[in-house]
Amino acid sequence: MATDIRTSELKKPIDVAEYLFRRLHEVGVRAVHGLPGDYNLVALDYIPKAGLIWVGNCNELNAGYAADGYARVKGIAAMVTTFGVGELSAVNAIAGAYSEYSAVVHIVGTPSTISQKAGMLLHHTLGNGNFDVFANMNRDISVAMAKLDDPNEAATLIDHAIRECWVQSRPVYITLPTDIVQKKVEGSRLDSPIDLSYPSNDPEKEDYVVDVVLKYLHEAKNPVILVDACAIRHRVLDEVHELVKQSGLPVFVTPMGKGAVNETLSTFGGVYAGNGSNPGVRERVESSDLILSIGAIKSDFNTSGFSYRVSQLSTIDFHSSFVRVRYSEYPGVRMQGVLRKVIAKMGKLNVKPGPIASNEIPKEDRDMSDDQIISHAWFWPRMGQWLQKDDIVITETGTANFGIWETRFPEGVTALSQVLWGSIGWSVGACQGAAMAAKELGIKRTILFVGDGSFQLTAQEVSTMIRRGLNPIIFVICNKGYTIERFIHGMDAEYNDIQEWKNKDLLDVFGADPKKSKTYQVKTKQEVHDLFNDTHFSSAPYIQFVELYMDREDAPIALRLTAESSAKNNAKE
């Protein structure tokens, strides 16, 4: 048995649970997602003592999605589940956070150390006395594991886990046994904040890489900048913005990089995703003789089915743990330091202008007659005209995720999507977490676009939004099922159909105050136009729910191309 630290030896004795939650408060967490269970109940009592709010979600999967959304807005999030049944319900969400570099601290209340060592036949176990099995399941989707079995080590393990979560921008896993919750640790440690700084590059190595980058940059005749998700997750946007500003080079983003740069800049050209790009973007990027690729994640959906036509010989990749110049890789050289020095030393570059992105609606889709149904080609540019500075926009895997590529954002818009992991239903939970974070930060509008099929997986989380007084604007795209799957395989197959819900009635079902909520149903372009021109609606005074009707077989061009590529890839032998 681990020897407890005698309180008399501590300068400022503090309970383990209070220490943990105060450290989370220190790094910016203000709301803790999750569900209660008998192995975490006593620990939950410490949340308000640390100045935190307990959110209380409808299930653990939704809580994980919400923590992911919260982390993408605030930088880090925390959730609490109970041993076995609770934590396993959250595994999909935690895996998604790991895949997409989202910093979530997952705290699991576990049976007492005494019960575990005795191998007792407890509820929420597999009945075989193995209390490590669930932790082992989480090992490959966590960058740090902190099993708080010994109060002598608890504070050190907590600090290490939170630091790794922040620095690596991925989930960590902390177990808190019931008999450790109230054990004492040294509270004076709280006088010194956790060091969240990134490791510095070796100066000599960094300078060499900078010189190599500058050599090719100065030789290039028409370089461009391409920004992807890891520029956001690994917090190099200040460097990216300065590079864009100082260089004057055309800048593009990938689908996962939406929101990474100021899209109102005259040098912003749009979204590059290989074949899924609009022709002007594709031609400009693929004709460039040097691409400064920052934080790339070259997954299938992020590249429209691996359809990039860009040579590594004309690419410099900047990443969180290495820089690759053409085919030469420099491990251990982080992009932050390299980018700062490149900006300081680059001087005048050869600049060839690129296309300018806009929210102009295609000519063939401008008909606004009363019977004109809403098309994706019309809706997404029109929606872009309605967006406001600093909005948070969440798009679900499917038509919304691809449609948003054709929307040019106002300055400061934060875009949340799950292009790599692609778990349908993620966006509803993520919307709750993002809206909670937005409320804390004083951000006015959180806007969700989700398909009717995806919405049915996680609709309960609208209840949490109502409970917490959040004010998202929720657009449910009603197109009778799983559109992206239809375009991959089975356009008319029954397995891609759903039972149609009266979606907007759910606000009433979940107990929303009719005076603090409103629902809408739009089926034509004119109705959308009128809704977007409604100043009360646009002011987002409370939760609002919009049923947005589109044709079952309509989809953004990028989705069609990516689905076709995915189908071909699935059929390979």
Side-chain angles (χ1 to χ4, degrees):
M1 179 185 297
T3 303
D4 196 0
I5 302 174
R6 289 186 296 114
T7 304
S8 61
E9 297 177 353
L10 302 174
K11 298 176 184 176
K12 296 180 180 178
I14 186 174
D15 291 358
V16 170
E18 184 176 355
Y19 182 91
L20 170 58
F21 290 122
R22 285 182 62 180
R23 279 303 202 195
L24 290 171
H25 186 280
E26 174 193 305
V27 297
V29 174
R30 294 294 180 271
V32 179
H33 293 86
L35 274 84
D38 62 332
Y39 294 131
N40 66 29
L41 294 175
V42 176
L44 298 185
D45 289 337
Y46 288 82
I47 288 176
K49 297 177 184 178
L52 303 174
I53 295 171
W54 172 248
V55 177
N57 299 92
C58 294
N59 59 56
E60 290 86 358
L61 177 61
N62 286 359
Y65 289 158
D68 184 349
Y70 184 97
R72 295 189 194 211
V73 177
K74 288 292 296 284
I76 192 168
M79 66 176 296
V80 180
T81 62
T82 197
F83 181 73
V85 294
E87 61 179 306
L88 293 191
S89 291
V91 162
N92 176 19
I94 296 298
Y98 185 92
S99 171
E100 301 239 345
Y101 291 92
S102 191
V104 176
V105 178
H106 184 191
I107 302 158
V108 180
T110 66
S112 70
T113 57
I114 297 171
S115 298
Q116 293 186 48
K117 288 174 182 176
M120 296 180 69
L121 192 63
L122 298 178
H123 61 286
H124 298 343
T125 71
L126 299 180
N128 59 4
N130 183 352
F131 288 86
D132 293 323
V133 61
F134 308 129
N136 290 337
M137 291 180 185
N138 278 276
R139 191 172 301 279
D140 287 339
I141 53 173
S142 307
V143 293
M145 307 281 287
K147 302 179 78 171
L148 308 183
D149 297 335
D150 181 354
N152 289 285
E153 301 175 349
T156 300
L157 290 174
I158 289 168
D159 290 358
H160 173 74
I162 293 174
R163 170 177 163 74
E164 291 305 303
C165 185
W166 178 270
V167 171
Q168 296 193 49
S169 193
R170 274 179 158 167
V172 295
Y173 178 87
I174 299 175
T175 58
L176 182 57
T178 55
D179 60 337
I180 299 295
V181 170
Q182 296 177 306
K183 296 293 186 184
K184 304 296 182 183
V185 294
E186 183 53 75
S188 63
R189 292 175 62 104
L190 294 172
D191 298 335
S192 301
I194 298 172
D195 179 12
L196 300 179
S197 62
Y198 293 105
S200 299
N201 292 330
D202 175 85
E204 187 175 358
K205 197 171 184 181
E206 180 179 88
D207 287 341
Y208 176 80
V209 173
V210 169
D211 288 342
V212 174
V213 170
L214 288 172
K215 173 182 180 294
Y216 289 108
L217 186 55
H218 287 139
E219 289 176 356
K221 302 302 181 185
N222 59 340
V224 299
I225 300 169
L226 180 62
V227 186
D228 208 337
C230 282
I232 304 170
R233 307 290 195 272
H234 294 292
R235 306 176 182 91
V236 296
L237 292 188
D238 287 344
E239 290 81 1
V240 168
H241 295 161
E242 193 64 21
L243 176 64
V244 171
K245 177 182 175 182
Q246 296 294 338
S247 71
L249 295 175
V251 59
F252 304 86
V253 296
T254 68
M256 291 181 71
K258 278 288 285 182
V261 303
N262 180 359
E263 298 188 8
T264 66
L265 292 174
S266 61
T267 53
F268 177 71
V271 175
Y272 176 68
N275 290 347
S277 320
N278 73 49
V281 169
R282 180 177 166 186
E283 179 183 337
R284 181 64 184 88
V285 173
E286 294 178 358
S287 66
S288 172
D289 60 351
L290 183 67
I291 298 172
L292 303 180
S293 173
I294 304 174
I297 299 178
K298 297 176 183 177
S299 68
D300 50 357
F301 280 16
N302 204 33
T303 62
S304 290
F306 305 112
S307 62
Y308 274 20
R309 287 177 174 81
V310 173
S311 171
Q312 186 60 44
L313 283 171
S314 59
T315 304
I316 299 177
D317 289 303
F318 299 89
H319 285 279
S320 61
S321 59
F322 69 91
V323 174
R324 183 186 297 117
V325 182
R326 305 175 85 176
Y327 283 104
S328 298
E329 187 167 311
Y330 303 94
V333 180
R334 298 181 61 87
M335 57 183 162
Q336 279 98 334
V338 173
L339 286 171
R340 289 190 201 108
K341 288 185 177 178
V342 167
I343 294 164
K345 296 181 177 182
M346 66 184 174
K348 186 174 177 57
L349 304 174
N350 295 314
V351 178
K352 181 180 177 181
I356 298 176
S358 74
N359 284 317
E360 185 177 352
I361 297 169
K363 291 181 180 179
E364 61 272 20
D365 292 288
R366 292 177 187 173
D367 187 352
M368 289 286 291
S369 56
D370 291 343
D371 62 344
Q372 280 295 306
I373 62 172
I374 305 160
S375 66
H376 285 281
W378 178 87
F379 178 78
W380 297 105
R382 178 64 186 88
M383 190 275 292
Q385 298 170 12
W386 169 75
L387 289 179
Q388 298 177 6
K389 185 177 183 292
D390 298 328
D391 281 345
I392 296 174
V393 180
I394 305 107
T395 52
E396 176 64 57
T397 297
T399 54
N401 225 7
F402 289 89
I404 202 72
W405 300 6
E406 299 305 319
T407 299
R408 186 180 188 182
F409 290 159
E411 183 180 358
V413 169
T414 299
L416 277 62
S417 63
Q418 203 190 46
V419 176
L420 178 55
W421 186 244
S423 182
I424 63 172
W426 166 86
S427 68
V428 183
C431 177
Q432 182 269 296
M436 179 69 73
K439 185 177 182 179
E440 295 171 10
L441 295 172
I443 296 172
K444 184 179 175 182
R445 303 201 312 181
T446 301
I447 304 161
L448 167 64
F449 296 95
V450 58
D452 52 3
S454 297
F455 180 68
Q456 292 190 3
L457 275 76
T458 47
Q460 314 99 307
E461 218 48 41
V462 174
S463 172
T464 308
M465 300 178 205
I466 295 169
R467 180 186 179 199
R468 290 298 166 198
L470 304 178
N471 66 326
I473 301 174
I474 301 171
F475 290 85
V476 173
I477 301 170
C478 300
N479 53 8
K480 301 181 179 179
Y482 303 119
T483 299
I484 189 168
E485 281 82 1
R486 291 192 198 281
F487 279 92
I488 294 174
H489 182 80
M491 179 59 74
D492 298 310
E494 185 179 10
Y495 49 72
N496 285 326
D497 297 334
I498 60 169
Q499 170 63 36
E500 292 185 66
W501 287 2
K502 296 178 180 178
N503 292 291
K504 65 184 182 64
D505 293 348
L506 288 177
L507 291 189
D508 184 50
V509 170
F510 291 142
D513 183 344
K515 296 179 181 179
K516 296 180 180 179
S517 61
K518 195 165 184 179
T519 62
Y520 303 84
Q521 188 177 79
V522 292
K523 296 185 177 182
T524 68
K525 292 177 181 178
Q526 187 62 51
E527 288 174 346
V528 172
H529 185 73
D530 293 342
L531 183 65
F532 285 163
N533 287 335
D534 183 334
T535 55
H536 185 72
F537 169 77
S538 297
S539 69
Y542 35 62
I543 188 168
Q544 298 178 104
F545 197 105
V546 182
E547 284 187 343
L548 178 70
Y549 283 81
M550 291 187 174
D551 187 76
R552 191 189 79 144
E553 297 184 17
D554 184 26
I557 293 174
L559 184 150
R560 296 168 186 259
L561 293 170
T562 304
E564 181 182 350
S565 176
S566 182
K568 289 179 180 177
N569 196 53
N570 291 343
K572 285 182 179 178
E573 296 182 358

